Amino acid sequence: MLTSALNIPVADIQAVYREWKRRGAEFLTEPKDRGSEIRGYMKDPDGHLIEVAQSTGILQQQP
């Protein structure tokens, strides 16, 4: 079985989450902080997984 997924990088995941939910999107998870990214997941009408992610800038921080 072939599985596909789509990753959509965004600048402000909280704003996207609110707007898309307002428009009827059904997220599987709320945005969660994973360290280097904040990610939320949803499925499209055909069942494909969509990951919406915002970089937290951790890679640009000084050691």
Side-chain angles (χ1 to χ4, degrees):
M1 179 169 120
L2 180 63
T3 303
S4 61
L6 174 66
N7 176 283
I8 302 174
V10 298
D12 184 345
I13 195 167
Q14 294 299 333
V16 168
Y17 178 73
R18 286 189 305 271
E19 177 66 18
W20 289 7
K21 279 192 65 101
R22 185 183 68 77
R23 293 180 180 206
E26 294 183 25
F27 280 80
L28 301 173
T29 66
E30 293 183 10
K32 303 244 188 257
D33 191 334
R34 308 284 185 196
S36 62
E37 285 186 323
I38 302 169
R39 294 183 229 154
Y41 295 91
M42 58 188 290
K43 285 194 175 184
D44 74 6
D46 292 324
H48 300 106
L49 184 65
I50 299 172
E51 175 187 71
V52 182
Q54 173 188 332
S55 173
T56 62
I58 196 169
L59 299 177
Q60 298 164 356
Q61 295 176 3
Q62 297 298 320

